[in-house]
Amino acid sequence: MFSSSYLFLYLLLVIAFIAKNNSLLIAVACLIVLKGIGLDAKAFSYIQSKGINWGVTVITIAVLVPIATGDIGFKDLSAAFKSPFAWIALISGILVALLAKGGIVLLAEDPQITTALVLGTIFAVSIFNGVAVGPLIGAGIAYIAIKAMEWIR
């Protein structure tokens, strides 16, 4: 139980505890448990390949709950487009979705970039109390920056 991966996970667990970041704490604890009971060989590859889709699905469900409860209806939708802030939000949503699309392309084409993105996300989550949606959006931003650098050359 003292491999470098365990030590790294335990370090992240301590950081999550000190930063009082429950999301990171639960995520790391789950990985330690899965690894400890020997399910890592099967579970990790499955989680790695499907996890982002699960996360996006859960976030989408959470965002759609006000519609399902009736707190947001068609009246609210039409009223929202009368606000300049709603238009900013709409454009931001489009841009973020396009960034995420580029992020998926980058992660598929250049998987070693994942390490830097994960470390950046860990720092943001643990130190700045950020939210761990960073790797995909970070990959999208990196994708745009890489494409811009390639274009400049």
Side-chain angles (χ1 to χ4, degrees):
M1 281 197 93
F2 291 104
S3 69
S4 63
S5 61
Y6 270 114
L7 291 175
F8 200 163
L9 287 171
Y10 288 133
L11 174 64
L12 291 174
L13 194 66
V14 169
I15 291 169
F17 182 76
I18 291 169
K20 296 180 178 121
N21 189 302
N22 289 334
S23 296
L24 185 59
L25 192 68
I26 291 167
V28 173
C30 286
L31 293 174
I32 290 171
V33 168
L34 287 171
K35 195 168 178 63
I37 62 177
L39 291 177
D40 55 324
K42 289 184 178 182
F44 286 0
S45 64
Y46 187 74
I47 292 168
Q48 188 173 7
S49 68
K50 304 289 184 191
I52 289 177
N53 289 333
W54 295 343
V56 169
T57 301
V58 170
I59 289 170
T60 303
I61 290 169
V63 169
L64 294 177
V65 165
I67 294 171
T69 60
D71 292 341
I72 294 176
F74 286 110
K75 179 181 173 187
D76 301 303
L77 181 63
S78 63
F81 288 106
K82 296 174 185 167
S83 160
F85 296 133
W87 284 101
I88 292 169
L90 175 70
I91 293 166
S92 297
I94 291 168
L95 291 174
V96 167
L98 292 174
L99 281 174
K101 177 183 173 187
I104 289 173
V105 170
L106 179 63
L107 292 176
E109 291 176 357
D110 197 0
Q112 70 264 15
I113 200 91
T114 304
T115 304
L117 291 166
V118 168
L119 285 175
T121 300
I122 290 167
F123 286 136
V125 167
S126 60
I127 297 169
F128 303 112
N129 214 15
V131 179
V133 295
L136 194 54
I137 301 303
I141 293 168
Y143 176 80
I144 298 296
I146 290 166
K147 291 298 178 187
M149 286 176 55
E150 288 173 353
W151 184 75
I152 291 171
R153 289 184 188 176

